[in-house]
């Protein structure tokens, strides 16, 4: 075992012993409890006992509880004036429905119970832990080995604390040794007979801090529970070596007889601890009591004497940082000299080892944050000496309680680490810092030449425009091919795991004043920045000292206007465009109630703004997640009134229990509708023994004509992939349903293109699937005729669609290939921790394509361009919130959780308008040319 690990283990052991000492020193204990009784899970009580000789004021004390996962909360705060006499009891009882049923009345009631395998604790008003008991290893509250859960049987069974020879509650710091099962329970309350405590000796733990060569006296106290009788009493106290030894000169041995005078309850003595001038691990020895006079028993016969060495360690920054998130010198005073201040914040600064002294270990950082608590006096370029204590602030190594001495000004800054294509690594198997991608850079200068803002600002209660997600390689955080990171590749699937984009990290733009507080940033913007790497709320974070936007993305960002020769076909998931009627199995809104009429009207206005200003009024628009024809007609009327168009609405109800459907908006001034019909609406399958419809949202087929060209569009909204990456029966069921839906639609597509092979056909909408396989079911590949059994757990055999359809997404620039933003939660991995409620460790905002446009050969011949409109995914959260009251095009921002798209097809007018750029009617189609239409058909 490494020396640093030995030291950590010792310090941890000392802290445990000291905390146990504090618990023993307090006379209050949990003496009996049950977390389930004859009346059920709420039939609970907690009995408290005062083993001291004086009454205790319990005002503001807290009764806390934990579940088996470590989530803890306060169940009761004792009211002002609550006290418990010497040798007396206080009974806390669950007063909820089905609560405490015992004959002894509870003194104070609480209403939220304790889980059968959780834990419970008593804390004083300052939050100090007084006593704790655990019923599982996962409980936040436990001492030593936790007790076994008594299960879920409703019975009068609980645990009671055993007593020692002196009749005192046994509290060794080990629940397993201190409690016994009692059945039936025998609770006591404040009116129960108090116990007259017997006479006994106890000795309390002690500690001293050594800060130099001077010897220090460590005082110990021996206590009697009742005043000493006539003539007084004696007891022997003897020191014994542990990690501290007399032979090594750590302390002086002592063997002495103490006398507690008549009528007194205490006697004290000192052990001399020797000073030293060099750093050392903390040490401890023991003091044991023996030979008690007057036949008085020993309630606690052993005390721990902890020697805490607080001698500054001369260290370089990289020695303080070490290779792990926790410094090998945590808790120790250090002195580090002649380092350069690299960045200054409102409450501290970062400093870095000059290049000439930097260590050669790439896995240790040469920078660190110095917390000053206020605006530092040091400035960038100062050379400083720092005397401080090493701290670990929520996994950020830092120096606190710092004394800073400026030795020089205007020094050259250490060379920065350049973040770009290779650093941080995009390969989770070869991370830049070994186990993490960023730990070895924490506190160090960093330059990002080609930064990409991946998400708009988050919004916190005190920060309308807070952190953003970024990459340093100029690329968006795209969902790339492969099975989800961290999920085993299914048997029989020849795919790798997607990397999980380990190169993605946070940026807190305003922390060090690079920009004013609450400066908004739109995703898709590019930048150059200088700054430092930090660690904030469980995640690695870049804090810039300088930042320059190279390209500021607009919000909203509209598609280009429709060309005169083009027919524009689009798709847009409206995110639960509902009416105000609750006439479905579940609410359309997904909430507890449907929107009001005013909220429906506002949503209609905002969707109109998106379709009109962002998508530029497509000729045909597939719309998904629409409740009814009437609300879609309302949207058509809104568009026609605002933009002088002639939209007609088409929708046929499907089978979704919340009532959302697919439909079309068609411009009757530019397109003639021939027919609208559902496909395979009545197909069913065996859904776990029940006959159910295959399609919740049956595909909707539009047949229409524009400028003499007949074409067809299928609107789709397949089953969400919410569960598919999991390993349970629900995931198996959902994969099968997605496979059946895609197979059904593929058969419909093949039938249509076989009947009219030269008629343009497009399949558009929210496929809830990527443009590649996720390893389970390649929905898009199956519908388009490009399914590969080797890449999917569910096998198809021969493709249904021939010739295959082409996905127009392939024509879109890679950084723009997304229509949905999803935050992948990968847990506490790669140095990321669960920093708080709702945080799941490493969280990666990932943009992905769920909304596609599949074109048959005839449609591809006419293909001009595919574009995504941007008003939803890239907006700062506060911008989207403010858009609700906007009166201009900004009211489109944030109206949905998808971004819509448009595809332009070349359909010339009667006058033969200008041909599109690149038009060549004799050019052959080439599958390798990503997307511009070839051999423009007529």
């Amino acid at each position: 075992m490494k020396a640093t690990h030995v030291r950590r283990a010792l310090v941890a052991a000392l802290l445990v012993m000291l905390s146990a000492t504090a618990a023993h020193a307090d006379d209050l204990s949990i003496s009996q409890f049950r977390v389930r009784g004859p009346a059920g899970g709420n039939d609970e009580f907690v009995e408290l006992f005062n083993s001291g000789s004086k009454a205790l004021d319990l005002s503001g004390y807290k009764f806390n509880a934990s579940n088996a996962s470590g989530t803890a909360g306060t169940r009761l705060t004792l009211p002002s004036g609550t006290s418990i006499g010497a040798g007396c009891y206080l009974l806390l009882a669950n007063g909820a429905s089905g609560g405490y049923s015992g004959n002894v009345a509870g003194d104070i009631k609480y209403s939220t119970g304790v889980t059968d395998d959780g834990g419970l604790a008593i804390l004083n008003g300052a939050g100090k832990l007084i006593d704790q008991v655990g019923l599982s290893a996962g409980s936040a509250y436990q001492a030593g080995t936790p007790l076994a859960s008594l299960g879920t049987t409703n019975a009068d069974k609980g645990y009671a604390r055993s007593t020692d020879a002196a009749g005192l509650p046994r509290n060794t710091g080990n629940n397993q040794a201190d409690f016994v099962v009692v059945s039936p329970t025998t609770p006591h309350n404040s009116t129960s007979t108090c116990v007259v405590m017997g006479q006994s000796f106890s000795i309390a733990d002690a500690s001293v801090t050594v800060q130099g060569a001077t010897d220090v006296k460590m005082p110990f106290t021996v206590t009697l529970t009742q005043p000493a009788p006539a003539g007084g009493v004696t007891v022997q106290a003897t020191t014994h070596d542990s990690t501290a030894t007399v032979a090594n000169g750590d302390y002086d041995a002592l063997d002495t007889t103490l006398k507690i005078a008549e009528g007194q309850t205490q006697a004290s003595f000192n052990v001399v601890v020797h000073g030293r001038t060099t750093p050392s691990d903390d040490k401890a020895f023991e003091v044991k009591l023996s030979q008690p006079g007057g036949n008085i028993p020993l309630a606690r016969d052993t005390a721990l004497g902890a020697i805490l060495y607080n001698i500054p360690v001369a260290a370089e920054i990289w020695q303080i940082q070490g290779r792990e998130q926790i410094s090998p010198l945590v808790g120790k005073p250090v002195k580090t000299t002649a380092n350069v201040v690299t960045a200054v914040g409102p409450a501290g600064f970062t400093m870095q080892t000059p290049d000439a002294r930097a260590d050669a270990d790439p896995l240790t950082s040469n920078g660190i944050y110095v917390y000053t608590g206020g605006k530092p006096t040091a400035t960038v370029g100062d050379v400083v000496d720092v005397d401080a204590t090493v701290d670990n602030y929520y996994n950020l190594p830092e120096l606190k309680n710092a004394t800073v001495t400026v030795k020089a000004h205007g020094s050259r800054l250490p060379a920065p680490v350049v973040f770009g294509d290779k650093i941080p690594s995009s390969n989770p198997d070869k991370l830049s810092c070994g186990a993490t991608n960023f730990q070895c850079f924490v506190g160090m200068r960093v330059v990002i030449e080609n930064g990409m803002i991946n998400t708009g600002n988050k919004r916190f209660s005190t920060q309308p425009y807070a952190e953003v997600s970024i990459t340093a390689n100029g690329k968006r955080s795209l969902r790339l091919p492969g099975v989800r990171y961290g999920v085993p590749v299914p048997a029989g699937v020849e795919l790798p795991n997607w990397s999980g984009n380990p190169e993605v990290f946070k940026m807190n733009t305003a922390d060090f004043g690079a920009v004013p507080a609450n400066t908004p940033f739109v995703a898709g913007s590019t930048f150059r920045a200088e700054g430092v790497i930090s660690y904030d709320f469980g995640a690695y974070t870049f804090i810039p000292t300088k930042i320059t936007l190279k390209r500021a993305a607009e919000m909203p960002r509209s598609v280009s206007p429709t060309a005169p020769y083009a027919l524009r076909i689009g798709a847009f998931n409206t995110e639960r465009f509902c009416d105000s009627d609750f006439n479905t199995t579940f609410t359309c809104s997904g909430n507890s109630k449907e929107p009001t009429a005013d909220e429906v009207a506002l949503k209609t206005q905002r969707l109109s703004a998106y379709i009109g200003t962002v998508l530029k009024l497509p000729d045909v628009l597939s719309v998904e997640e629409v409740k009814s024809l009437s609300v879609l007609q309302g949207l058509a009327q809104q568009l026609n009134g605002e933009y002088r168009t002639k939209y007609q609405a088409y929708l046929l109800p499907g089978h979704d229990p919340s009532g959302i459907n697919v439909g079309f908006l068609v411009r009757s001034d530019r397109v003639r509708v021939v027919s609208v019909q559902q496909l395979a609406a009545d197909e069913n399958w065996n859904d776990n023994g029940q006959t159910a419809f295959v399609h919740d949202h049956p595909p909707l087929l539009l047949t229409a004509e524009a400028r003499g060209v007949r074409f067809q569009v299928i609107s789709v909204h397949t089953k969400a992939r919410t569960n598919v990456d999991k390993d349970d029966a629900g995931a198996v069921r959902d994969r099968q349903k997605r496979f059946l839906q895609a197979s059904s639609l593929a058969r419909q597509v093949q039938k249509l293109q076989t009947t009219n092979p030269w008629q343009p056909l497009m399949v558009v909408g929210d496929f809830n699937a990527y443009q590649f396989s996720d390893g389970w079911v390649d929905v898009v590949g199956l519908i388009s005729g490009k399914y590969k059994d080797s890449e999917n757990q569910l096998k198809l055999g021969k493709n249904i669609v021939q010739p295959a359809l082409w996905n127009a997404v392939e024509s879109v620039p890679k950084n723009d290939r997304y229509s949905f933003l999803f935050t992948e939660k990968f847990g506490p991995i790669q140095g990321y921790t669960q920093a708080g409620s709702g945080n799941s460790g490493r969280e990666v905002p990932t943009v992905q394509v769920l909304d596609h446009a599949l074109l048959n050969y005839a449609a591809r011949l006419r293909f001009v361009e595919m574009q995504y409109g941007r008003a939803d995914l890239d907006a700062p959260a506060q911008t989207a919130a403010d858009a609700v009251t906007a009166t201009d095009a900004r009211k489109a921002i944030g109206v949905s959780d998808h971004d819509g798209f448009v595809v332009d097809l070349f359909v010339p007018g009667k006058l033969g308008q200008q041909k599109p750029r690149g038009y060549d009617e004799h050019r052959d189609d080439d599958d390798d040319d990503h997307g511009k239409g070839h051999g423009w058909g007529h």
Side-chain angles (χ1 to χ4, degrees), residues 431-497:
L431 297 172
S432 297
C433 298
T436 80
N437 235 355
F438 301 96
Q439 184 63 40
C440 59
F441 307 119
V442 167
M444 292 181 65
R445 293 190 69 219
V446 165
V447 167
I448 299 174
E449 297 287 354
N450 191 26
M452 169 68 75
I453 294 176
N454 190 50
T455 62
N457 309 73
K458 284 187 176 181
R459 178 178 61 174
F460 300 136
S461 58
T462 58
Q463 291 180 281
Y465 295 92
E467 67 191 47
V468 296
S469 168
I470 63 171
T471 59
N473 57 12
K475 300 175 183 178
R476 293 300 293 266
S477 175
L478 300 170
R479 177 56 159 93
L480 299 175
V483 178
R484 185 186 187 273
Y485 178 80
V487 173
V489 174
V493 173
E494 298 173 9
L495 278 178
N497 278 107

Side-chain angles (χ1 to χ4, degrees), residues 622-635:
S622 164
V623 286
E624 301 91 52
E625 296 197 13
V626 180
K627 169 73 177 292
S628 64
L629 179 60
S630 61
V631 293
L632 191 57
Q633 288 171 332
L635 177 55

Side-chain angles (χ1 to χ4, degrees), residues 886-902:
T887 58
D888 54 16
R890 289 175 298 173
K891 64 185 173 185
I893 299 173
V895 70
S896 174
D897 57 354
H898 287 245
D899 276 335
F901 68 79
V902 294

Side-chain angles (χ1 to χ4, degrees), residues 690-934:
Q690 301 293 321
T691 299
F693 291 109
V694 170
H695 297 283
D696 296 315
H697 321 118
L700 198 61
L701 171 65
L702 169 75
T703 303
E705 290 183 355
R707 298 170 183 164
V709 176
R710 178 165 290 200
F711 63 94
Q712 292 181 310
V713 182
I714 301 175
S715 171
V716 301
H717 185 200
T718 58
K719 179 168 181 54
R721 61 177 317 281
T722 306
N723 294 318
V724 298
D725 294 318
K726 299 177 181 178
D727 184 19
D728 55 30
V732 172
R733 179 256 183 196
D734 287 359
R735 294 170 200 155
Q736 182 65 28
K737 185 168 183 178
R738 285 163 60 83
F739 182 84
L740 292 175
Q741 286 181 348
S743 301
S744 170
L745 182 53
R747 289 191 293 270
Q748 298 296 325
V749 168
Q750 184 62 13
K751 180 179 178 181
L752 291 170
Q753 75 167 1
T754 300
T755 303
N756 296 293
W758 294 106
Q759 181 170 282
L761 170 66
M762 294 178 59
V763 186
V764 302
D766 178 5
F767 288 68
N768 273 312
Y770 312 132
Q771 66 271 39
F772 38 74
S773 177
D774 58 13
W776 309 105
V777 179
D778 183 0
V779 169
V780 174
L782 206 164
I783 296 170
S784 64
K786 297 181 178 180
Y787 198 83
K788 297 179 180 179
D789 279 353
S790 62
E791 294 183 353
N792 293 278
Q793 184 195 49
L794 274 64
K795 308 302 182 183
L796 176 65
K798 184 178 180 181
N799 270 293
I800 298 169
V801 176
Q802 293 292 338
L805 308 185
W806 173 69
N807 194 344
V809 168
E810 295 177 18
S811 72
V812 177
K814 287 186 178 180
N815 265 347
D816 207 34
R817 292 183 190 176
Y818 62 94
S819 65
F820 189 74
L821 172 64
F822 182 66
T823 299
E824 303 276 353
K825 298 182 178 182
F826 296 126
I829 61 172
Q830 296 173 7
Y832 291 76
T833 60
Q834 293 176 323
S837 177
N839 191 327
S840 298
R842 178 160 168 76
E843 296 189 349
V844 185
T846 305
V847 286
Q848 53 194 231
V849 180
L850 297 183
D851 302 82
H852 304 263
L854 307 181
L855 282 65
N856 73 346
Y857 184 74
R860 187 176 180 184
L861 289 175
R862 295 179 176 274
F863 177 77
V864 178
E865 187 177 17
M866 180 179 187
Q867 304 172 76
Y868 287 97
R870 302 299 181 195
D872 294 327
L873 311 183
D874 292 345
Q878 185 64 49
T879 302
D882 293 341
V884 173
T885 59
T887 58
D888 54 16
R890 289 175 298 173
K891 64 185 173 185
I893 299 173
V895 70
S896 174
D897 57 354
H898 287 245
D899 276 335
F901 68 79
V902 294
V903 172
D904 288 346
L905 300 182
F906 177 56
V907 180
K910 294 181 179 179
L911 298 179
Q913 289 99 327
Q914 179 182 356
K915 304 297 189 292
R917 182 177 62 186
Y919 170 80
D920 180 358
E921 64 183 6
H922 300 296
R923 185 176 178 184
D924 291 334
D925 181 60
D926 178 3
D927 284 340
D928 293 328
D929 188 341
H930 295 291
K932 290 297 181 182
H934 315 302

Side-chain angles (χ1 to χ4, degrees), residues 482-530:
V483 178
R484 185 186 187 273
Y485 178 80
V487 173
V489 174
V493 173
E494 298 173 9
L495 278 178
N497 278 107
W498 166 54
S499 69
N501 294 357
E503 71 276 12
V504 175
F505 53 115
K506 290 196 316 177
M507 178 167 68
N508 290 357
T509 53
D511 281 9
F512 282 2
V515 297
N518 295 317
T519 297
F521 288 92
V522 175
S525 300
T526 58
F527 67 92
R528 182 194 183 276
E530 300 176 15

